[in-house]
Amino acid sequence: MSTVIPYFDWSARSADWVDDIVEVFQEVAESDEFILKSRVERLEAEIAARTGAAHAIAVASGTGALTVVLAALGIGEGDEVVTPAFSFVSTASTVALRGARPVFADVEYETGLLDPAAAEAAVTDRTRALLPAYLFSGSPRMGAFAELAGRRGLRLVEDSAVALGAETDGRPAGRHGDAGVYSFFPAKPAGGIGDAGMIVTDDPEIARVARMLRNHGQPAGKRFYHELLGFNCRMDELTAGFLLRKLPHLDGLLERRRAIAAVYEEGLRPLAPALLPPQAGFGGRAVYTYVIRSQERDALRSYLAGEGIETAVYYPRPLHLQPAFAHLGHGPGDFPVAERLSREALALPLHPDMAPGAAERVVAAVHRFHTAGR
Ligand SMILES: Cc1ncc(COP(=O)(O)O)c(C=O)c1O
């Protein structure tokens, strides 16, 4: 029996970082800095320098980053935000929790990302912002969204939670609109050791308000004075200290992810159209998950499980059919591509610590499923 290929191998990943984690805990324990202090400030400076953003604002999670940005833009009751029907829940729940309406638009089958034409058709007089999301290893068509936002006078927020380190059209992910966000959730390519997130923007007013909103609406240095109703959405020093050590390695880790994606791409492309790998060309992309599309998804998944290969389904139910969004009144058939992807999408194991030959073993098993060995 050959060894299991795990979908996500935290123990292999953490082995390289145990010394750093212990040292960071020691450093923080011996300091009197726990939340929003010098390590957080240094991390903000590093992210700003890396992305070319005028402002980087550290927060408690990627979801917190979206929440704070939407609040800083003044989005609330009566407003609409156009967002994909197929994404992680935060892309839309943060809008709904502001009291605004997430207006879903369908995604492109090829990428799983918001379709600019569908987004444009969803714009109404109440639309305040467009909120496309980066998923898997793809980048939304940010040029088209920037053009649409400019033409219709809309704000453009990027849910680039999974995409720190990606670049499209010569610009880093998160830097195409009014603001972008990053998540440091441990499974992400830039994952930390807990929840954490970052907002990037060139807009001094978004930055000023976001800094207050993340910390109970207090202006810097004015403790217990609340200019705004804010949140407790602060980054802690342990996570920031770890991320300062990890960031210099991010480009190398992304290279490794792209190399594994290239093995999948070369090995699986011949199976099209029975099985469709993601859009080709991984240069400049932050490969987070490698998601194929197969009309026999569930059978393929069971077969791979039998071969000791773990997979994951992102996402088994599109957002418009989630009970949490029932109040929006959608039903099956409203966003056919999102629904189709929720039946066909399957994520193969991909992380920088995969054992040599593991990706090739996955490719071979997928081929066997499609030929004699079933
Ligand atoms: C597309 C997308 N948006 C937002 C988030 C939220 O980030 P976090 O888990 O840090 O709150 C995630 C991460 O899970 C995500 O994948």
Side-chain angles (χ1 to χ4, degrees):
M1 171 79 186
S2 48
T3 50
V4 168
I5 300 179
Y7 180 71
F8 180 74
D9 191 355
W10 176 255
S11 57
R13 173 187 285 205
S14 64
D16 290 344
W17 296 105
V18 167
D19 290 347
D20 287 286
I21 294 171
V22 170
E23 281 167 31
V24 168
F25 270 70
Q26 184 82 32
E27 263 175 35
V28 171
E30 290 171 356
S31 74
D32 58 355
E33 298 196 317
F34 295 100
I35 291 170
L36 287 190
K37 292 288 194 308
S38 63
R39 291 167 194 79
V40 172
E41 272 177 33
R42 271 189 286 144
L43 183 67
E44 290 180 334
E46 291 225 355
I47 296 288
R50 184 185 169 110
T51 60
H55 308 277
I57 301 106
V59 289
S61 66
T63 305
L66 287 170
T67 302
V68 167
V69 166
L70 293 168
L73 291 173
I75 287 170
E77 221 166 295
D79 295 332
E80 294 182 354
V81 176
V82 175
T83 198
F86 189 71
S87 185
F88 184 65
V89 67
S90 302
T91 318
S93 63
T94 50
V95 174
L97 286 167
R98 294 297 311 143
R101 182 181 175 92
V103 175
F104 293 126
D106 215 344
V107 294
E108 297 177 312
Y109 183 64
E110 173 80 352
T111 61
L113 305 173
L114 186 61
D115 179 338
E120 176 151 18
V123 172
T124 73
D125 292 346
R126 290 178 297 283
T127 307
R128 292 279 313 283
L130 305 176
L131 180 44
Y134 293 67
L135 293 186
F136 312 145
S137 53
S139 302
R141 298 180 195 271
M142 290 315 304
F145 292 117
E147 188 278 325
L148 173 61
R151 184 157 43 80
R152 300 294 296 262
L154 307 172
R155 307 308 289 258
L156 177 57
V157 178
E158 278 168 276
D159 181 350
S160 39
V162 305
L164 179 59
E167 206 171 284
T168 36
D169 305 332
R171 272 180 177 269
R175 303 283 297 119
H176 296 259
D178 293 288
V181 305
Y182 307 121
S183 165
F184 301 110
F185 179 76
K188 301 280 187 274
I193 49 169
D195 275 317
M198 189 72 69
I199 298 164
V200 282
T201 182
D202 284 343
D203 185 324
E205 187 55 15
I206 294 177
R208 187 185 73 83
V209 176
R211 282 186 190 285
M212 284 193 276
L213 287 173
R214 73 175 169 180
N215 193 13
H216 300 293
Q218 298 170 113
K222 280 193 149 181
R223 199 162 172 228
F224 301 134
Y225 175 80
H226 305 279
E227 194 169 318
L228 300 168
L229 286 177
F231 310 93
N232 177 350
C233 192
R234 303 175 298 218
M235 188 188 285
D236 67 73
E237 292 283 304
L238 289 170
T239 297
F242 175 76
L243 288 169
L244 282 169
R245 287 162 179 253
K246 180 157 181 188
L247 267 189
H249 301 276
L250 179 60
D251 290 331
L253 292 169
L254 287 173
E255 260 323 304
R256 172 88 186 107
R257 285 175 175 272
R258 287 186 196 112
I260 298 167
V263 171
Y264 282 148
E265 159 69 18
E266 197 185 317
L268 299 178
R269 184 66 63 192
L271 292 175
L275 175 144
L276 296 169
Q279 231 183 0
F282 293 99
R285 285 157 64 184
V287 178
Y288 171 41
T289 51
Y290 189 92
V291 173
I292 56 172
R293 288 148 293 159
S294 165
Q295 290 184 28
E296 298 180 88
R297 193 262 316 271
D298 294 338
L300 173 59
R301 188 168 195 216
S302 305
Y303 179 82
L304 293 176
E307 298 274 308
I309 297 166
E310 293 178 1
T311 55
V313 172
Y314 295 83
Y315 296 96
R317 187 184 280 261
L319 294 177
H320 66 287
L321 300 181
Q322 295 285 354
F325 294 113
H327 65 286
L328 298 175
H330 291 297
D334 283 2
F335 302 102
V337 183
E339 290 168 33
R340 183 172 175 195
L341 286 170
S342 70
R343 291 189 299 270
E344 296 185 3
L346 183 68
L348 302 179
L350 193 154
H351 46 86
D353 316 288
M354 272 172 85
E360 288 81 354
R361 223 183 96 197
V362 176
V363 168
V366 175
H367 274 269
R368 278 198 301 280
F369 173 81
H370 281 278
T371 52
R374 286 208 243 170

